[in-house]
Amino acid sequence: MTKQIQAVRGMNDCLPGDTQIWQKVESVLRDTVGAFGYQEIRFPIVESTELFKRSIGEVTDIVEKEMYTFEDRNGDSLTLRPEGTAVCVRAANQNGLLYNQEQRLWYMGPMFRHERPQKGRYRQFHQIGVETFGIATADIDAEVILMTARFWKAFGIQDHVKLELNSLGSNEARAEYRDALVAYLEQHKDKLDEDSLRRMYSNPLRVLDSKNPDVQAILADAPKLSEHLDEESREHFKNLCERLDAAGVEYQVNEKLVRGLDYYNRTVFEWVTTSLGAQGTVCAGGRYDGLVEQLGGKPTPAVGFAMGMERLVLLLQALECVGEIRRDADVYVVAMGDTASIQAPVIAEQLREEIQGLKVMVHCGGGNFKKQFKRADKSDALVALVLGEDELAQGKVTVKYLREEKEQITLTLAEAKLLLAELVS
Ligand code: ATP
Ligand code: MG
């Protein structure tokens, strides 16, 4: 036998059954961003490598070790997008969307990172992301956080996720803090692990992120970011907190929350859950006022977030909060004899035309009644619509219940349509 070709590790198929859940999740998310008046933007999956190096930062996990980068046939270095923010900024800049305008945008789609695959961590995964441009005040920071809170409410999982919040301050305040932190870390060099040592000079704030308990112990006495915040950022953060309080959104200020990407300033936040094991961050975001300029645009304040959709789906499944899934089919049409079999798709099409939302599946592949009913049973349909030659000649059809102990009934086609309409009302 010829050897079967397997999928790339960490890149999953999504099979029927799962796609039903995904469609439902996607539609709730779309409705929610729509309910805030945000507009969808779509951009390519492949971009120039330079875009991510310049935005995410050279000394980050993503750029150092996670990108799918390759040379195309022209010898240009291209990368499968590992995230959406940089691409969104590139697209908005290039198409003049940021020219003296505010924008509130969202996108949804696959991202690619070469990580070690495990539950909640894949090499192709999906994000829904929101990016807003041109608004510097904390009201918009609060709005995007409120939007994420609406997601949880819409899925009924608001009691299972917690919001962590921090402010990184201005770039200047961060630089000042960075120096203070490095000075402190230098005194404790001997107790730092390899990762932290490497980050100490290149990206010292990331040391705060360390999962190593020994490093965390040292950090307990390290200088605090909050002590170095500039006055404006302090005000901004206070205003954001007031707004979240007023909206009844609970949060925990986490001074060690710094985020893995370089471009953030001021507000950073994460939604975390304890119901998913190690991969507990479902959604993450913040303000990135410097990024547009860093990518060649005019200085433009910006704030956004990205949510990992696989983690959301896993969470909904773990909490049994997927909710009701729409049936694949409501009616399965079976036909006896050649004339009836030719009529079947014609009648099915009438039903689809006349009954809004009705899902009609027509038996294909021939076979006797027994075989056709077996298929009808295997389908999702609630009823079978049976077309017999003699009945059809009299304009009649039979409705047979597939999931209930109910007598089958023979009706005129018009009566049958009324009955079927009730299935989707
Ligand atoms: P983590 O700390 O889990 O690696 P991150 O900081 O790299 O996350 P972001 O770049 O902020 O993640 O991406 C936003 C969200 O996208 C994450 O909170 C997570 O839900 C999801 N995500 C990130 N990487 C993956 C992945 N490899 N597989 C599945 N989901 C992911
Ligand atoms: Mg990561």
Side-chain angles (χ1 to χ4, degrees):
M1 270 234 292
T2 316
K3 192 167 168 269
Q4 277 188 15
I5 296 170
Q6 304 290 313
V8 178
R9 209 163 102 83
M11 305 206 181
N12 300 320
D13 303 308
C14 189
L15 304 177
D18 284 339
T19 47
Q20 283 184 319
I21 298 173
W22 276 80
Q23 284 181 10
K24 169 147 189 207
V25 166
E26 287 162 6
S27 95
V28 170
L29 294 172
R30 272 199 198 97
D31 288 350
T32 307
V33 289
F36 282 76
Y38 284 49
Q39 293 178 300
E40 185 181 7
I41 181 167
R42 300 189 183 193
F43 33 69
I45 283 172
V46 182
E47 294 278 339
S48 66
T49 304
E50 184 58 21
L51 173 64
F52 303 111
K53 286 199 172 164
R54 220 204 286 174
S55 55
I56 297 170
E58 296 265 5
V59 193
T60 54
D61 284 350
I62 294 181
V63 172
E64 273 186 333
K65 42 187 191 200
E66 295 174 359
M67 293 206 301
Y68 278 91
T69 295
F70 61 96
E71 258 188 29
D72 78 353
R73 287 170 193 275
N74 303 329
D76 296 329
S77 181
L78 303 182
T79 294
L80 302 186
R81 61 185 192 197
E83 57 116 34
T85 303
V87 191
C88 189
V89 170
R90 199 270 308 135
N93 259 338
Q94 185 175 339
N95 295 288
L97 300 189
L98 304 183
Y99 196 78
N100 291 335
Q101 292 174 72
E102 291 171 2
Q103 295 289 349
R104 301 187 211 190
L105 307 173
W106 68 273
Y107 58 85
M108 197 189 273
M111 305 293 161
F112 302 83
R113 298 185 193 176
H114 196 275
E115 305 199 64
R116 195 168 68 77
Q118 52 197 290
K119 186 181 164 203
R121 192 175 292 288
Y122 311 100
R123 292 180 173 174
Q124 174 175 330
F125 62 100
H126 297 76
Q127 288 183 335
I128 180 170
V130 155
E131 317 291 352
T132 72
F133 298 101
I135 307 169
T137 41
D139 46 1
I140 192 75
D141 306 44
E143 177 172 281
V144 300
I145 293 175
L146 283 185
M147 182 190 286
T148 51
R150 258 232 75 69
F151 288 156
W152 320 134
K153 278 190 257 171
F155 289 109
I157 56 171
Q158 64 273 28
D159 296 336
H160 302 273
V161 283
K162 288 202 158 60
L163 175 61
E164 298 196 352
L165 198 61
N166 196 18
S167 175
L168 301 178
S170 65
N171 287 339
E172 299 74 43
R174 238 169 111 189
E176 195 190 297
Y177 173 66
R178 195 177 298 139
D179 294 345
L181 182 63
V182 172
Y184 174 84
L185 292 174
E186 274 177 337
Q187 292 166 19
H188 299 85
K189 239 176 167 168
D190 51 322
K191 293 184 217 95
L192 294 178
D193 60 12
E194 207 182 303
D195 256 355
S196 303
L197 280 173
R198 197 165 45 84
R199 285 179 174 148
M200 187 166 99
Y201 296 110
S202 52
N203 194 352
L205 264 61
R206 286 302 308 282
V207 179
L208 298 180
D209 234 4
S210 171
K211 306 258 173 354
N212 182 338
D214 297 336
V215 176
Q216 280 302 333
I218 293 161
L219 288 172
D221 297 321
K224 293 209 162 20
L225 188 53
S226 60
E227 292 159 4
H228 290 262
L229 281 194
D230 53 298
E231 194 46 41
E232 267 185 68
S233 297
R234 217 183 279 280
E235 272 303 312
H236 188 96
F237 194 59
K238 193 168 147 247
N239 190 252
L240 169 61
C241 292
E242 273 169 21
R243 288 172 179 278
L244 295 178
D245 291 338
V249 175
E250 285 176 34
Y251 53 88
Q252 179 103 47
V253 177
N254 174 358
E255 291 222 24
K256 299 221 176 84
L257 184 64
V258 292
R259 308 279 310 112
L261 299 84
D262 260 2
Y263 48 62
Y264 288 108
N265 67 303
R266 289 202 174 151
T267 312
V268 286
F269 67 92
E270 284 189 0
W271 286 94
V272 292
T273 175
T274 50
S275 308
L276 279 186
Q279 268 53 252
T281 309
V282 191
C283 176
R287 183 166 274 283
Y288 51 96
D289 295 336
L291 184 60
V292 175
E293 193 180 11
Q294 203 175 313
L295 290 176
K298 286 207 309 182
T300 307
V303 52
F305 66 80
M307 177 164 69
M309 295 174 59
E310 279 77 5
R311 292 189 195 173
L312 174 63
V313 169
L314 283 170
L315 186 58
L316 292 173
Q317 287 170 327
L319 299 172
E320 296 180 3
C321 284
V322 173
E324 218 177 291
I325 297 285
R326 178 82 171 89
R327 278 188 302 276
D328 288 325
D330 304 305
V331 185
Y332 192 95
V333 182
V334 307
M336 228 33 236
D338 291 342
T339 322
S341 158
I342 285 178
Q343 277 305 302
V346 178
I347 291 175
E349 185 58 10
Q350 282 177 20
L351 296 175
R352 294 184 197 109
E353 182 91 19
E354 291 171 29
I355 306 171
Q356 172 94 53
L358 189 73
K359 294 185 176 183
V360 187
M361 199 167 187
V362 179
H363 179 83
C364 288
N368 56 21
F369 258 137
K370 194 166 163 226
K371 175 182 167 189
Q372 295 198 32
F373 275 112
K374 236 182 169 162
R375 293 278 186 281
D377 263 329
K378 267 191 109 169
S379 82
D380 232 9
L382 291 176
V383 300
L385 187 69
V386 189
L387 311 181
E389 307 267 282
D390 297 344
E391 279 171 15
L392 265 188
Q394 303 165 31
K396 290 195 167 160
V397 296
T398 297
V399 173
K400 189 174 181 328
Y401 292 88
L402 297 168
R403 320 284 162 209
E404 291 172 89
E405 294 289 332
K406 240 164 138 178
E407 281 294 305
Q408 64 178 52
I409 30 176
T410 300
L411 303 160
T412 65
L413 187 55
E415 288 166 339
K417 283 176 184 170
L418 289 175
L419 191 148
L420 295 177
E422 278 172 25
L423 294 180
V424 285
S425 66

